[in-house]
Amino acid sequence: MAFDWMDEKFLRINIVSWPSGEVLGVGRERARWEIKTLEEISTEELKRGLERLAVAPVGPILATRFEVTSPGNLTMVCEYDSSIPEPMRLGAASTIWRSLDESVARLWMIGSSLRAHYPYFGTQRRELLDLLPSARRLLWLAASLARAEPLMAIVAGRPSRFRRMVSGLEGGVFEEDVFRDISILSSGIADISKPWVKRRIAAPPIKSDLGLLVSSVGELLGRAIETQATDAIARCAEEILDVLYLCDTYYGLPEGSELAKQEDRAWWTDIGRLRDESPDMLVAMAQTAIECASAVHSACVKADVRRQFLDAAAPQRSP
């Protein structure tokens, strides 16, 4: 059976690996993980939280301790037997990272990778979504898409309609409009990108990957709508986070924009609102969506993201 690699969809693999270890003696090593929290929490607050966490050695696999280096920054020092396979080390460390994320402070970066790129945090997102009814999971995804719509509209060269998109959120019935508009934008971006951007494995992504990442949101959205499965919904939302992080990293957005961090706060907060079912739940979600989308629009306009994207990808155009 032949496989047409030229027709394969954009493939992005997030790779995380164990850092090089310091040899302590026969059969023992020590490695360090630099960790950044989502918020810049004071050193005193971090130390108090770590004292409450009281991390014990993870069986015979890993012994750990933490060093707080500055506000929002800490180091996890791990000692382990050299013979333990890397996947087992990562699994053991991940249980500690998740406890830290849920009990002390939400994490942002672990080593050089986003927290969201580690499998245990993908599981975390899916477990939280599983607590919501299917209709509310789709509502949650629609709010995330609305927050990112200005970026997608700018890349597509079209006016943003995020305020109209969010206007129906308070009634809880706006998903269909959002999904339709995002699908149209995604399709337009795919048409722009297809003639001159090569499909490739991108880990990490580069500046010209923005069009492929944005257009893949539409492909993932189609799967989420069709199946309404937790994994498909989560995967679409994760792609949105990666799109925003790529812009933050490569597109010279105004200082302090931090669009990906903004999205990471918003999706977490929205899940809490949808679980609590407070009377003003939808009003609060709409307000967050407007504020986030406004920030995305302002940052992307000031940075002229569309021009940057077209310029970055221009060398890849076919003669």
Side-chain angles (χ1 to χ4, degrees), residues 147-177:
R147 293 191 293 267
E149 186 270 353
L151 168 60
M152 300 180 71
I154 286 168
V155 174
R158 300 184 182 185
S160 173
R161 303 172 64 185
F162 73 89
R163 292 188 183 277
R164 186 199 62 76
M165 292 173 70
V166 176
S167 65
L169 177 56
E170 294 182 20
V173 292
F174 83 138
E175 299 99 312
E176 185 175 338
D177 287 344

Side-chain angles (χ1 to χ4, degrees), residues 223-243:
R223 193 178 310 156
I225 296 170
E226 179 182 0
T227 66
Q228 297 190 20
T230 296
D231 183 66
I233 291 169
R235 183 70 192 87
C236 186
E238 287 164 346
E239 194 79 341
I240 293 168
L241 183 69
D242 279 349
V243 165

